[in-house]
Amino acid sequence: MSHPINFDFSEEFARKMDEKDPLKEFRSKFIFPKVDGKTAIYFCGNSLGIQPKTTKQYIQKELDNWADLAVDGHFYGEDAWYHVRKKSKPALAEIVGAHEHEVVAMNNLTSNLHFLMVSFYQPTAEKFKIITEAGAFPSDMYMLETQVKFHGLNPDEVIVELTPREGEHTLRTEDILKTIREHGDQLALVMMAGLQYYTGQLFDMEAIAKAARQVGAYVGFDLAHAAGNAQLSLHDWEVDFATWCSYKYMNSGPGNISGVFVHEKHAEKPDLPRFAGWWGHDEGERFKMEKGFKPMFGADGWQLANSNVLALAAHQASLDIFLEAGIGNLRKKSETLTGYLEFLIQNISGKSGVIEIITPKNKNERGCQLSLLVHKGGKAVFDELYQNGIVGDWRHPNVIRIAPTPLYNSFTDVFRFAQVLKQSLLKFA
Ligand SMILES: *Cc1c(COP(=O)(O)O)cnc(C)c1O
């Protein structure tokens, strides 16, 4: 892959890139954490995004509404809590590439995975297999394993894991598609990450969805690491369903609300199995309090419980920033910023090869994160980075994940990281 910009190993270059950056002002909308009393360089948005300065005000406003209005807050004024779910839809639709009626914020990610499986995993004697990626995030593994057992089946006979070829770290699209075709007759579902948390690989969701459709299987993606990071077109790709969390790239606060996508083609299928609650019931008739569940149109029909207003307030503070920045602009900067990080690391690691970047080189196969396999001195290098105020994360046994986000990271941040990395390698590798 060639980069349109000739990267250069000087602080001057980083400074110039920052000056030219059309998104440079967005950094000032965030609060940076401190390490040992000094403002950190934060590269851990893949795990927990940092706090927008406006989050407090958004939450405070709802605390005030609650104090002033109490129960009347449900129906009073244009911010009525009864309709609060609608506010996040325009931004969520843009972030995942969907129509507004295909998305809704609700619950937590793992809960949503389970609820969506109720609708989209209906094994039969012929079609019962699930394809997923090996080494998936543990919650996703436990979810699949227990869903399969819930249907009285044996996970070892049902779950087909995609594994990289011998000597490789990431999956090849051709191999994923081949596996889908091989198991086609028995395949009920492809349920995998959109962007792999460990390797940083962004999968070709369009091709995967198409292959699944061709064998009559549903396809769902866990977008925890893709939402707010990669450019997505879930509607056009005809993904059946997806879910994500809002506290990683979406900066909405620890453990905050998840979101779901259900494709329009399932918008009006009252017979699709689901575990229902009153908040998914026809809005006009909700307060008749009668039996007989009638799902709302679209993703809203998967809601269970009344909206978590304080959670949604924190979510909205961040979503409004995304809308202002524009997901296309963010992605454009992200490709350059991560390309720059890659250039510097390669330069430092050089022929010694002490650092192996396992994330794909092709920018269409990654988001902002690079996963660095450190062949020597791994944990010591990581600790040294931290002591120098650089927050990344460590994944056992020897991977450092560094995620420069286009919203709040600068080229100078990446340059500083590279300098400290260089020193650390001299000391420990
Ligand atoms: C972060 C993450 C989770 C976490 O799930 P929660 O329900 O939000 O605790 C699950 N799956 C993946 C792939 C993740 O990256």
Side-chain angles (χ1 to χ4, degrees), residues 3 31-32 49 93 118 201 216 218 256 311 318 343 345 375 423 428:
H3 292 290
I31 304 169
F32 286 83
V118 169
Q201 181 177 19
Y218 283 132
N256 202 355
S318 171
F343 166 84
I345 293 169
H375 288 296
Q423 290 165 23
F428 299 107

PDB file of all heavy atoms in Angstrom, residues 3 31-32 49 93 118 201 216 218 256 311 318 343 345 375 423 428:
ATOM      1  N   HIS A   3       1.148   5.354   0.536  1.00  0.00           N
ATOM      2  CA  HIS A   3       0.433   6.430   1.207  1.00  0.00           C
ATOM      3  C   HIS A   3       0.492   7.674   0.342  1.00  0.00           C
ATOM      4  O   HIS A   3       1.517   7.961  -0.267  1.00  0.00           O
ATOM      5  CB  HIS A   3       1.063   6.704   2.574  1.00  0.00           C
ATOM      6  CG  HIS A   3       0.854   5.569   3.517  1.00  0.00           C
ATOM      7  ND1 HIS A   3      -0.375   5.276   4.034  1.00  0.00           N
ATOM      8  CD2 HIS A   3       1.710   4.646   3.996  1.00  0.00           C
ATOM      9  CE1 HIS A   3      -0.257   4.211   4.811  1.00  0.00           C
ATOM     10  NE2 HIS A   3       0.987   3.804   4.802  1.00  0.00           N
ATOM     11  N   ILE A  31     -11.793  15.746  27.530  1.00  0.00           N
ATOM     12  CA  ILE A  31     -10.984  15.847  28.742  1.00  0.00           C
ATOM     13  C   ILE A  31      -9.979  14.690  28.729  1.00  0.00           C
ATOM     14  O   ILE A  31     -10.375  13.519  28.675  1.00  0.00           O
ATOM     15  CB  ILE A  31     -11.869  15.728  30.002  1.00  0.00           C
ATOM     16  CG1 ILE A  31     -12.985  16.785  29.973  1.00  0.00           C
ATOM     17  CG2 ILE A  31     -11.017  15.852  31.268  1.00  0.00           C
ATOM     18  CD1 ILE A  31     -14.060  16.576  31.036  1.00  0.00           C
ATOM     19  N   PHE A  32      -8.697  15.019  28.769  1.00  0.00           N
ATOM     20  CA  PHE A  32      -7.675  13.969  28.751  1.00  0.00           C
ATOM     21  C   PHE A  32      -7.338  13.533  30.179  1.00  0.00           C
ATOM     22  O   PHE A  32      -7.218  14.373  31.065  1.00  0.00           O
ATOM     23  CB  PHE A  32      -6.422  14.468  28.025  1.00  0.00           C
ATOM     24  CG  PHE A  32      -6.612  14.528  26.542  1.00  0.00           C
ATOM     25  CD1 PHE A  32      -7.231  15.629  25.954  1.00  0.00           C
ATOM     26  CD2 PHE A  32      -6.229  13.464  25.744  1.00  0.00           C
ATOM     27  CE1 PHE A  32      -7.448  15.662  24.578  1.00  0.00           C
ATOM     28  CE2 PHE A  32      -6.442  13.497  24.371  1.00  0.00           C
ATOM     29  CZ  PHE A  32      -7.055  14.604  23.788  1.00  0.00           C
ATOM     30  N   GLY A  49     -13.372   5.120  25.479  1.00  0.00           N
ATOM     31  CA  GLY A  49     -13.195   6.478  24.949  1.00  0.00           C
ATOM     32  C   GLY A  49     -13.157   7.492  26.080  1.00  0.00           C
ATOM     33  O   GLY A  49     -13.651   7.239  27.179  1.00  0.00           O
ATOM     34  N   ALA A  93     -27.563   6.173  12.759  1.00  0.00           N
ATOM     35  CA  ALA A  93     -27.785   5.777  11.361  1.00  0.00           C
ATOM     36  C   ALA A  93     -26.580   6.172  10.517  1.00  0.00           C
ATOM     37  O   ALA A  93     -26.130   5.404   9.663  1.00  0.00           O
ATOM     38  CB  ALA A  93     -29.060   6.417  10.828  1.00  0.00           C
ATOM     39  N   VAL A 118     -32.064 -14.716  19.664  1.00  0.00           N
ATOM     40  CA  VAL A 118     -33.413 -15.287  19.793  1.00  0.00           C
ATOM     41  C   VAL A 118     -34.145 -15.162  18.460  1.00  0.00           C
ATOM     42  O   VAL A 118     -34.851 -16.080  18.028  1.00  0.00           O
ATOM     43  CB  VAL A 118     -34.201 -14.574  20.919  1.00  0.00           C
ATOM     44  CG1 VAL A 118     -35.674 -14.956  20.886  1.00  0.00           C
ATOM     45  CG2 VAL A 118     -33.594 -14.905  22.277  1.00  0.00           C
ATOM     46  N   GLN A 201      -8.167  -6.458  12.759  1.00  0.00           N
ATOM     47  CA  GLN A 201      -8.594  -6.712  11.369  1.00  0.00           C
ATOM     48  C   GLN A 201     -10.050  -6.331  11.155  1.00  0.00           C
ATOM     49  O   GLN A 201     -10.939  -6.737  11.901  1.00  0.00           O
ATOM     50  CB  GLN A 201      -8.407  -8.201  11.008  1.00  0.00           C
ATOM     51  CG  GLN A 201      -8.812  -8.494   9.558  1.00  0.00           C
ATOM     52  CD  GLN A 201      -8.576  -9.940   9.142  1.00  0.00           C
ATOM     53  OE1 GLN A 201      -8.442 -10.836   9.982  1.00  0.00           O
ATOM     54  NE2 GLN A 201      -8.542 -10.171   7.841  1.00  0.00           N
ATOM     55  N   GLY A 216     -28.384 -19.069   2.170  1.00  0.00           N
ATOM     56  CA  GLY A 216     -29.609 -19.015   2.975  1.00  0.00           C
ATOM     57  C   GLY A 216     -29.371 -18.942   4.467  1.00  0.00           C
ATOM     58  O   GLY A 216     -30.156 -19.446   5.260  1.00  0.00           O
ATOM     59  N   TYR A 218     -28.461 -16.416   7.898  1.00  0.00           N
ATOM     60  CA  TYR A 218     -28.472 -15.046   8.398  1.00  0.00           C
ATOM     61  C   TYR A 218     -27.034 -14.624   8.699  1.00  0.00           C
ATOM     62  O   TYR A 218     -26.156 -15.460   8.936  1.00  0.00           O
ATOM     63  CB  TYR A 218     -29.270 -14.939   9.697  1.00  0.00           C
ATOM     64  CG  TYR A 218     -30.769 -14.937   9.534  1.00  0.00           C
ATOM     65  CD1 TYR A 218     -31.562 -15.772  10.343  1.00  0.00           C
ATOM     66  CD2 TYR A 218     -31.404 -14.099   8.630  1.00  0.00           C
ATOM     67  CE1 TYR A 218     -32.958 -15.755  10.236  1.00  0.00           C
ATOM     68  CE2 TYR A 218     -32.792 -14.081   8.512  1.00  0.00           C
ATOM     69  CZ  TYR A 218     -33.565 -14.908   9.312  1.00  0.00           C
ATOM     70  OH  TYR A 218     -34.918 -14.889   9.208  1.00  0.00           O
ATOM     71  N   ASN A 256     -21.667   2.182  29.138  1.00  0.00           N
ATOM     72  CA  ASN A 256     -22.900   2.823  28.659  1.00  0.00           C
ATOM     73  C   ASN A 256     -23.605   2.005  27.575  1.00  0.00           C
ATOM     74  O   ASN A 256     -23.080   1.023  27.064  1.00  0.00           O
ATOM     75  CB  ASN A 256     -22.623   4.262  28.193  1.00  0.00           C
ATOM     76  CG  ASN A 256     -23.898   5.109  28.218  1.00  0.00           C
ATOM     77  OD1 ASN A 256     -24.993   4.602  28.485  1.00  0.00           O
ATOM     78  ND2 ASN A 256     -23.779   6.383  27.931  1.00  0.00           N
ATOM     79  N   ALA A 311     -28.218   7.539  30.714  1.00  0.00           N
ATOM     80  CA  ALA A 311     -27.260   6.892  29.809  1.00  0.00           C
ATOM     81  C   ALA A 311     -27.348   7.521  28.423  1.00  0.00           C
ATOM     82  O   ALA A 311     -26.331   7.811  27.788  1.00  0.00           O
ATOM     83  CB  ALA A 311     -27.551   5.396  29.728  1.00  0.00           C
ATOM     84  N   SER A 318     -21.731  12.693  23.010  1.00  0.00           N
ATOM     85  CA  SER A 318     -20.708  12.230  22.093  1.00  0.00           C
ATOM     86  C   SER A 318     -21.223  12.132  20.655  1.00  0.00           C
ATOM     87  O   SER A 318     -20.529  12.497  19.712  1.00  0.00           O
ATOM     88  CB  SER A 318     -20.204  10.869  22.570  1.00  0.00           C
ATOM     89  OG  SER A 318     -19.370  10.309  21.602  1.00  0.00           O
ATOM     90  N   PHE A 343       4.165   3.826   9.789  1.00  0.00           N
ATOM     91  CA  PHE A 343       5.452   4.262   9.214  1.00  0.00           C
ATOM     92  C   PHE A 343       6.512   4.421  10.310  1.00  0.00           C
ATOM     93  O   PHE A 343       7.637   3.924  10.193  1.00  0.00           O
ATOM     94  CB  PHE A 343       5.232   5.580   8.463  1.00  0.00           C
ATOM     95  CG  PHE A 343       6.496   6.312   8.118  1.00  0.00           C
ATOM     96  CD1 PHE A 343       7.220   5.981   6.977  1.00  0.00           C
ATOM     97  CD2 PHE A 343       6.967   7.342   8.933  1.00  0.00           C
ATOM     98  CE1 PHE A 343       8.389   6.663   6.653  1.00  0.00           C
ATOM     99  CE2 PHE A 343       8.134   8.025   8.622  1.00  0.00           C
ATOM    100  CZ  PHE A 343       8.856   7.683   7.489  1.00  0.00           C
ATOM    101  N   ILE A 345       6.582   3.177  13.397  1.00  0.00           N
ATOM    102  CA  ILE A 345       6.916   1.913  14.077  1.00  0.00           C
ATOM    103  C   ILE A 345       7.863   1.075  13.217  1.00  0.00           C
ATOM    104  O   ILE A 345       8.850   0.521  13.705  1.00  0.00           O
ATOM    105  CB  ILE A 345       5.645   1.103  14.421  1.00  0.00           C
ATOM    106  CG1 ILE A 345       4.828   1.833  15.479  1.00  0.00           C
ATOM    107  CG2 ILE A 345       6.002  -0.304  14.908  1.00  0.00           C
ATOM    108  CD1 ILE A 345       3.439   1.269  15.696  1.00  0.00           C
ATOM    109  N   HIS A 375       8.224  -8.949  20.101  1.00  0.00           N
ATOM    110  CA  HIS A 375       8.918 -10.235  20.220  1.00  0.00           C
ATOM    111  C   HIS A 375       9.889 -10.293  21.385  1.00  0.00           C
ATOM    112  O   HIS A 375      10.303 -11.364  21.796  1.00  0.00           O
ATOM    113  CB  HIS A 375       9.629 -10.586  18.908  1.00  0.00           C
ATOM    114  CG  HIS A 375       8.672 -10.986  17.822  1.00  0.00           C
ATOM    115  ND1 HIS A 375       7.889 -12.104  17.904  1.00  0.00           N
ATOM    116  CD2 HIS A 375       8.334 -10.387  16.656  1.00  0.00           C
ATOM    117  CE1 HIS A 375       7.135 -12.212  16.823  1.00  0.00           C
ATOM    118  NE2 HIS A 375       7.378 -11.181  16.052  1.00  0.00           N
ATOM    119  N   GLN A 423      13.049   4.749  22.652  1.00  0.00           N
ATOM    120  CA  GLN A 423      13.834   4.657  23.904  1.00  0.00           C
ATOM    121  C   GLN A 423      13.594   3.321  24.609  1.00  0.00           C
ATOM    122  O   GLN A 423      14.524   2.680  25.082  1.00  0.00           O
ATOM    123  CB  GLN A 423      13.384   5.716  24.918  1.00  0.00           C
ATOM    124  CG  GLN A 423      13.721   7.139  24.606  1.00  0.00           C
ATOM    125  CD  GLN A 423      12.888   8.060  25.521  1.00  0.00           C
ATOM    126  OE1 GLN A 423      12.439   7.641  26.585  1.00  0.00           O
ATOM    127  NE2 GLN A 423      12.665   9.284  25.073  1.00  0.00           N
ATOM    128  N   PHE A 428      14.943  -2.224  26.565  1.00  0.00           N
ATOM    129  CA  PHE A 428      14.425  -3.551  26.928  1.00  0.00           C
ATOM    130  C   PHE A 428      14.439  -4.604  25.834  1.00  0.00           C
ATOM    131  O   PHE A 428      14.240  -5.785  26.124  1.00  0.00           O
ATOM    132  CB  PHE A 428      12.994  -3.420  27.437  1.00  0.00           C
ATOM    133  CG  PHE A 428      12.892  -2.553  28.659  1.00  0.00           C
ATOM    134  CD1 PHE A 428      12.335  -1.282  28.570  1.00  0.00           C
ATOM    135  CD2 PHE A 428      13.371  -2.998  29.880  1.00  0.00           C
ATOM    136  CE1 PHE A 428      12.250  -0.481  29.690  1.00  0.00           C
ATOM    137  CE2 PHE A 428      13.286  -2.193  31.004  1.00  0.00           C
ATOM    138  CZ  PHE A 428      12.728  -0.930  30.914  1.00  0.00           C
TER     139      PHE A 428
END
